[in-house]
Amino acid sequence: SFDEQTGRIYTYITIKVREVLKGQITERRVVLKELGGQVGDRTSVIYGNPQFKKGEKVLLYLDTWADGSLRTYQMFLGKFNIVRDDLTGREVAVRSSPDENTTVLQNKLHGHRAPGRSTERQELSRYIRMVKNRLTANWERSVQFEAEAYANIPLLGEPPEYRSIADRGE
C-alpha cells in the first residue's frame, strides 16, 4: 500500500504464529509491515529486505516500527526458512539469502579479537535450543535493554492502518 503521509510503499505479510521464543506476542496471527513493494505503476525496491512466499515456514527475528508495527529485524538477516533436509528428513533452519544487489561483508580478524559467530544453516530443534540457551544466559541484559530502547513503543499484532487497507481490498 502507498502511504500518502510518508510517500513510501509498504508490503504487509500475514504470519501464522506457532511459537514465540521471546517477546510479548500473544496473537496467533500477526501482520508484518515491510518497506517496499509495488502499488499500481509505482515500485519501491529495498535491497536486502527479506522475500516471503505464501505457505513457507519461517523462523523470524522481529523488531518494531515507531508505531508498534512489526517488521523483520535487520532485513533478510532476521529471516530463516524452515526446510526439510533431503538426507536426514529433519527440519533445518536456513538463513534467508540476500538479493543479487546485496553484499554481505564477512567478519575479519582484527588483532586478538575473533569475529562473532553466525549461523547460516542448522537443524531446527538444535537451532531453537541454542537460541533458548542464549536467551537464558543474557536474560537480565535483554530485559534492561528492552526497557531502555522500547519503553514507549507498543507491540502491535497488526499495523494501525492495516484494517482500513485490507477493507479497501488493497
Side-chain angles (χ1 to χ4, degrees), residues 18-132:
R18 192 171 97 191
E19 180 179 7
V20 175
L21 301 178
K22 179 182 180 286
Q24 305 303 316
I25 295 174
T26 57
E27 294 90 347
R28 289 293 143 216
R29 182 187 142 285
V30 297
V31 178
L32 307 184
K33 178 181 177 179
E34 298 289 350
L35 188 57
Q38 183 174 356
V39 176
D41 62 348
R42 292 183 183 188
T43 300
S44 173
V45 178
I46 309 299
Y47 298 118
N49 256 5
Q51 301 296 310
F52 290 87
K53 294 179 184 161
K54 186 174 183 171
E56 70 183 341
K57 288 184 175 182
V58 295
L59 185 147
L60 300 172
Y61 290 85
L62 300 177
D63 193 8
T64 57
W65 293 97
D67 68 359
S69 301
L70 296 169
R71 65 178 173 188
T72 307
Y73 180 70
Q74 300 226 340
M75 304 172 97
F76 80 90
L77 295 173
K79 180 186 178 221
F80 283 79
N81 293 313
I82 299 173
V83 298
R84 187 154 309 279
D85 184 289
D86 291 335
L87 295 175
T88 66
R90 292 184 168 168
E91 288 187 317
V92 178
V94 181
R95 185 180 302 277
S96 180
S97 300
D99 56 65
E100 64 276 359
N101 295 303
T102 302
T103 302
V104 178
L105 302 176
Q106 300 299 316
N107 286 335
K108 303 278 187 227
L109 290 174
H110 296 286
H112 65 282
R113 293 181 18 208
R117 293 187 337 193
S118 173
T119 303
E120 303 300 321
R121 178 183 177 93
Q122 190 171 61
E123 193 269 320
L124 181 62
S125 64
R126 185 173 174 207
Y127 183 80
I128 289 173
R129 194 168 43 254
M130 177 192 68
V131 169
K132 287 180 177 180

Side-chain angles (χ1 to χ4, degrees), residues 64 143-153:
T64 57
V143 169
Q144 181 181 352
F145 174 79
E146 190 172 327
E148 292 169 5
Y150 296 98
N152 298 316
I153 299 175

